[in-house]
Amino acid sequence: RTPETAPVLLTLADRSVDEITALIQGALTLKLVQKNFGPRFLGDSMRNRSMAMTFSKRSTRTRVATETATSSLGGVSMFLGRDDIQLGVNESLYDSAKVIGSMVDGIMARVAKHEEVETLAKHSGVPVINALSDLYHPTQILADILTLVEEAHGPFVFPSQVTTSEGSRYHWMHEWVRNNVDIPGALRGKKMAWVGDSNNISNELLVTLPRFGVHFALAAPKGYDTIDPRVKATLEAQGVADMITYTNDPAVAVKNADILITDTWISMGQEDETAARLKAFEGYQITMDMARTHGAKEGWKFMHCLPRHKEEVDDEVFYSDRSLVFPEAENRKWTIMACIDAMAGWWLPARKNRMR
Ligand code: CP
Ligand code: NVA
């Protein structure tokens, strides 16, 4: 069924646990189809369709993931960087939203202020996916969930002979994933320790993982531990307070944690604060010694959305067997592909002005 208004993904806070689970099932299906059957079985839900990528900040993963995901589904994407289009320089966001939305089938938008992606979603008339704002980063946390699910599940083993016609291999895999991979079960009961800045990534984790039964402990230094009022209001509405610990002491967060996770201490746009931040975050670098001293669980794993700097995690942890960072980065592609497939790939705008 095609909804009247275009679907949008501005934060996973707007999506139920079941909806998020369905997106992860979609992503895992696409990944397993490509790796086991080959790319021609992915389907072509973006055939004759296009994605605009309006990015006002740099990107490696999100950009490469979106471009390759769109083309894998048979569509084209166009990267519209800050210096390429009139947006923000010579034209209002409203005008650009109207114009771009009238020509493409979906927009992936990386913005500074979260209100900007809200405006795009409100006025473009096509599916809009938040590719990072100052407040949230939903597609990153989808990739994090997929990574944790794969880690919990171990290798995926299929019957040696897949008894299905070539054309329905996607559907066979989707059924297999739904019947054999317990997505909420892979997360339930885990403790995740965030040691670092309270930022867009930790916000998105906060509004998502506690609903899956993950105990989320956030350790940030004083002055960098503020939770945005919009995030606080969301958490209150979700009723997940007992699943969250806020602290200024990394030791409290790391104790008994299954996953240690962090991000840069200096997000895009905060470069002027570098010296003050490096000082404030002293003692927050994730190392083997920190994990041992503070009592992380024996089999603890490390995650990071990347790009990474040595100050927040040393090489020994980052390149160790505990580190999930490279599968996590690859999973940006499969989860973004699932979002594009589900949102832009099937949605048909109401054809008000259709020629008769
Ligand atoms: N994790 C992430 O969003 O990376 P990029 O900024 O490279 O897209
Ligand atoms: N917190 C970082 C995430 C980069 C993917 C930033 O906003 O720059």
Side-chain angles (χ1 to χ4, degrees), residues 58-63 110 131-132 137 140 268 305-307 332:
R58 289 185 306 274
S59 168
T60 299
R61 282 141 288 271
T62 315
R63 176 177 181 172
R110 176 165 282 201
L132 179 145
H137 196 4
Q140 177 65 51
M268 289 182 275
C305 62
L306 313 183
R332 300 297 311 286

Side-chain angles (χ1 to χ4, degrees), residues 274-282:
T274 299
R277 284 179 167 267
L278 290 179
K279 193 159 170 36
F281 284 87
E282 266 169 28

